[in-house]
């Protein structure tokens, strides 16, 4: 397992510190790590405690999620979009934000559909909370999912809307990939790797996690990440999973170091 320091020790340091959840391949955290890997940026890992008090993290950043990226004494970046801007500034090459205006607008729009508040992962999390608070689930596990749901806006109405919203986004990504393949590109935007390919590769784990040999994770997390919702399943076109595998095999590090 990778080395982590505590958040209190990371605060006064200079350079790049990234707060991650040890042992858990969360899609936002894996996306940040994927960008850092492609850009060959060195960083120190600090540990967030999943659903914990995270007192030092809250004092520092005003919130308790991972990932967080901090550069020198600049304000810590707590959202994917700010983190991407920071990493692109620190290592402009290879470029992961398209130079072309229209491609850039499309990339940010689609990335927000995956990563943003009320995007794919957000709704996928509602489905996880729905499924892991059912009466047959171990009460100790269900209790954690109630806390997760309360933290991230779960309600029965939100859960009811989530599968269709996830499926809509998956269908758009599959269509985008097929259009790109037809014009001879292997990537979601333009003709080269962008942050969107990395976001998709890391998000795909919440439908089909990577196999244990490539990404070891606690058994409970694997069960939570494997999609069993039929509406989401129908929209999970094989082209999407093939793209995840292509991006990991071509651009990322396996097995994943958590
Ligand atoms: N900071 C992220 C969101 C990350 C996020 O929602 N992280 C969740 C993943 S489930 C997390 O840290 N959960 C554990 C917790 O809240 O303790 C962003 O907006 O880009």
């Amino acid at each position: 397992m990778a080395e982590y320091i505590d958040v209190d020790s990371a605060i006064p340091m200079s350079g790049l510190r990234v707060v991650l959840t040890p042992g858990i391949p969360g899609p936002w955290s894996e996306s940040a790590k994927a960008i850092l890997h492609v850009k060959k940026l060195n960083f120190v890992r600090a540990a967030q405690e999943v659903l914990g008090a995270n007192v030092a993290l809250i004092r520092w950043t005003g919130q308790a999620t991972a990932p967080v990226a901090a550069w020198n004494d600049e304000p810590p970046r707590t959202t994917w979009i700010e983190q991407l801007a920071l990493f692109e500034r620190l290592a402009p090459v290879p470029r992961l934000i398209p130079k072309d205006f229209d491609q850039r607008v499309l990339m940010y729009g689609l990335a927000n559909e995956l990563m943003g508040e009320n995007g794919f992962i957000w709704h996928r999390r509602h489905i996880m909370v729905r499924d892991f608070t059912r009466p047959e689930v171990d009460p100790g596990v269900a209790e954690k999912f109630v806390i997760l749901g309360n933290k991230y806006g779960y309600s029965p109405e939100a859960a009811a809307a989530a599968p269709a919203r996830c499926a809509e986004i998956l269908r758009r990504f599959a269509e985008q990939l097929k259009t790109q393949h037809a014009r001879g590109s292997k990537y979601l935007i333009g003709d080269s790797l962008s942050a969107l390919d990395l976001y998709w590769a890391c998000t795909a784990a919440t439908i089909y996690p990577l196999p244990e040999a490539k990404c070891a994770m606690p058994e409970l997390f694997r069960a939570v990440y494997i999609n069993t919702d039929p509406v989401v399943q129908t929209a999970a076109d094989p082209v999407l999973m093939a793209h995840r595998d292509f991006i990991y095999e071509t651009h990322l590090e396996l097995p994943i170091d958590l």
Side-chain angles (χ1 to χ4, degrees), residues 111-163:
N112 192 54
E113 290 298 305
L114 284 186
M115 312 294 288
E117 196 156 330
N118 291 315
F120 178 87
I121 315 173
W122 191 273
H123 281 92
R124 181 72 187 90
R125 185 165 51 201
H126 288 331
I127 298 173
M128 294 172 188
V129 173
R130 178 197 71 188
D131 292 350
F132 283 82
T133 51
R134 292 204 159 121
E136 61 272 24
V137 173
D138 175 276
V141 171
E143 191 189 345
K144 297 273 183 230
F145 279 86
V146 169
I147 298 171
L148 189 72
N150 289 340
K151 189 167 175 183
Y152 295 105
Y154 180 84
S155 66
E157 297 73 34

Side-chain angles (χ1 to χ4, degrees), residues 27 31 114-115 120-121 198-208 248:
S31 295
L114 284 186
M115 312 294 288
F120 178 87
I121 315 173
L198 302 176
Y199 291 142
W200 168 251
C202 298
T203 297
T206 66
I207 303 172
Y208 293 123
Y248 267 104

Side-chain angles (χ1 to χ4, degrees), residues 4-11 45-47:
Y4 286 82
I5 61 170
D6 60 39
V7 168
D8 264 324
S9 312
I11 296 171
R45 295 178 188 224

